[in-house]
């Protein structure tokens, strides 16, 4: 039992020593300072992340708006160019091509019909048709299968462009 009493006295002397109290106070003070500075550092990191996130969001939004404006401007100018150059030019050329192809096809059809009826054609079709697809080659139709149709008076509206 002496050993137990001796050990308890040693522990009490260590705890009650003024140097121990000062050491513990210094340790607790240092630990508190470390925790406080760590908390402050973490708070500043959170603030930095928030500020960087806000900056990134605003920059991305601004870039998106500028890109959208640029794309809309490009589409508007492309539509305007298409409307100016494309539609008047394209529609005019397409209309002329269709008119010429129609006139050529009509003249060829009339000549073929007159040929089948045994009538002489007073008009000759345009030698160089501008149609994209060539008309099928004419095949002679036997006289027994040819159908006689009344002819309409010829008009000169086919010749005028």
């Amino acid at each position: 039992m002496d050993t137990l009493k001796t050990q308890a006295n040693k522990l009490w002397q260590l705890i009650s020593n003024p140097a121990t109290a000062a050491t513990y106070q210094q340790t607790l003070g240092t630990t508190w300072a470390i925790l406080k500075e760590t908390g402050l550092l973490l708070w500043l990191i959170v603030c930095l992340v928030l500020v960087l996130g806000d900056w990134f969001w605003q920059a991305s939004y601004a870039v998106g708006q500028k890109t959208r404006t640029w794309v809309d401007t490009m589409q508007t100018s492309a539509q305007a160019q298409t409307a100016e150059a494309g539609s008047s030019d394209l529609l005019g050329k397409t209309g002329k091509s269709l008119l010429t192809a129609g006139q050529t096809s009509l003249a060829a059809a009339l000549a073929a019909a007159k040929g089948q009826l045994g009538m002489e054609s007073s008009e000759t079709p345009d030698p160089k048709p501008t149609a994209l697809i060539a008309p099928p080659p004419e095949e002679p139709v036997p006289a027994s299968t040819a159908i006689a149709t009344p002819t309409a008076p010829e008009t000169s509206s086919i010749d005028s462009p």
Side-chain angles (χ1 to χ4, degrees), residues 8 13 21 34 50 61 63 69 71-72 83-84 96 133 146 155:
Q13 285 176 358
I34 290 172
L50 290 174
Y61 188 78
V63 167
T69 303
V71 167
D72 288 345
E84 291 173 6
K96 287 179 185 178
I133 302 174
T155 60

Side-chain angles (χ1 to χ4, degrees), residues 73-144:
T73 304
M74 294 301 288
Q75 285 178 347
T76 304
S77 66
Q79 288 172 352
Q81 288 175 355
T82 303
E84 291 173 6
S87 54
S88 63
D89 225 13
L90 182 62
L91 288 176
K93 287 180 180 180
T94 304
K96 287 179 185 178
S97 177
L98 287 174
L99 181 64
T100 305
Q103 287 177 344
T104 304
S105 298
L106 184 60
L110 284 174
K114 286 182 181 182
Q116 286 182 2
L117 293 173
M119 300 174 69
E120 233 176 90
S121 177
S122 61
E123 302 171 7
T124 57
D126 191 11
K128 52 178 195 166
T130 58
L132 297 176
I133 302 174
E138 295 179 21
E139 296 180 17
V141 178
S144 63

